[in-house]
Amino acid sequence: MQTYIALLRGINVGGHKKVPMVQLRELLSNSGLLNVKTYIQSGNVIFQSINDDSKELEKTIQNSILDHFGFKVPVLVRTRTELLTIFNNCPFSDEKKSERYFVMLSDVPDEMLVNEASQKTYPDDDYVILNDCIYLFCAKGYGRAKFNLNYFEKKLNIHATARNYKTMVKLLALSEE
């Protein structure tokens, strides 16, 4: 049985797409996922499954949420090992630790699109696109960053969701238990 982390995008933000975590855990448990845990209200789910197809698990979670709550939510599912690899591959120094963001991508983007997106820069924001993750450093914080998920999704033609350093550390710790 494999341990997975599901990253839901855009729930419980600004009063939109409200998904109570108690209901989400119950819903996902009823859909066949095992040992379902959530972390904070922004859509982080740790679970286990005998199914080893991440894309199929994403669809199961999306459809369960759509059927129960009535709206579509982008979902990315990664194994604990995949998330740990993303975390460990971060190219930024430890001094930038608290301002790091990990933007997980639904797929590895086309190299031509990566080259095109990489042409845009801002003085206080730095990023590196590696495989299916964008490592983003925001000197003034994510809320004041010039880059956002919409920019990367449009430029790279993929879905994305971001987590900060602290959340990544906690997800890795919770998925280890």
Side-chain angles (χ1 to χ4, degrees):
M1 189 162 16
Q2 182 74 258
T3 298
Y4 294 94
I5 297 96
L7 306 166
L8 286 62
R9 176 163 182 222
I11 66 164
N12 299 333
V13 178
H16 301 287
K17 294 185 178 179
K18 289 191 175 199
V19 178
M21 294 299 104
V22 172
Q23 288 182 29
L24 181 62
R25 286 190 299 271
E26 183 179 319
L27 176 68
L28 297 181
S29 294
N30 291 339
S31 71
L33 305 182
L34 305 168
N35 303 314
V36 178
K37 298 183 273 188
T38 55
Y39 173 64
I40 61 177
Q41 299 296 313
S42 60
N44 303 291
V45 182
I46 298 101
F47 66 93
Q48 293 179 319
S49 178
I50 56 172
N51 186 341
D52 62 356
D53 185 340
S54 293
K55 294 294 183 190
E56 191 175 307
L57 291 167
E58 289 173 359
K59 288 178 188 172
T60 297
I61 295 168
Q62 283 177 330
N63 290 337
S64 296
I65 292 170
L66 179 62
D67 292 346
H68 185 81
F69 293 103
F71 48 80
K72 190 173 180 178
V73 173
V75 177
L76 297 179
V77 171
R78 298 290 183 265
T79 64
R80 182 185 190 286
T81 302
E82 290 168 335
L83 203 66
L84 184 60
T85 299
I86 287 170
F87 184 80
N88 288 335
N89 284 343
C90 183
F92 298 124
S93 66
D94 285 344
E95 294 83 47
K96 295 180 176 181
K97 189 180 291 189
S98 64
E99 291 86 17
R100 282 188 233 171
Y101 283 82
F102 300 81
V103 181
M104 271 70 69
L105 309 175
S106 57
D107 293 294
V108 175
D110 180 86
E111 189 175 336
M112 187 176 80
L113 296 176
V114 169
N115 290 335
E116 185 180 313
S118 297
Q119 300 304 308
K120 186 110 176 156
T121 61
Y122 292 104
D124 293 320
D125 300 338
D126 190 15
Y127 67 94
V128 176
I129 303 171
L130 270 175
N131 300 318
D132 63 348
C133 185
I134 301 169
Y135 299 92
L136 180 61
F137 169 74
C138 309
K140 294 184 178 179
Y142 189 72
R144 293 185 175 156
K146 298 288 184 184
F147 289 110
N148 60 35
L149 290 182
N150 291 333
Y151 170 78
F152 291 116
E153 285 182 322
K154 287 177 185 173
K155 286 291 185 184
L156 300 174
N157 196 28
I158 45 83
H159 292 290
T161 189
R163 298 298 184 270
N164 65 24
Y165 177 86
K166 182 179 174 183
T167 298
M168 290 288 282
V169 168
K170 188 65 175 181
L171 290 173
L172 288 167
L174 287 171
S175 63
E176 190 173 48
E177 297 173 356

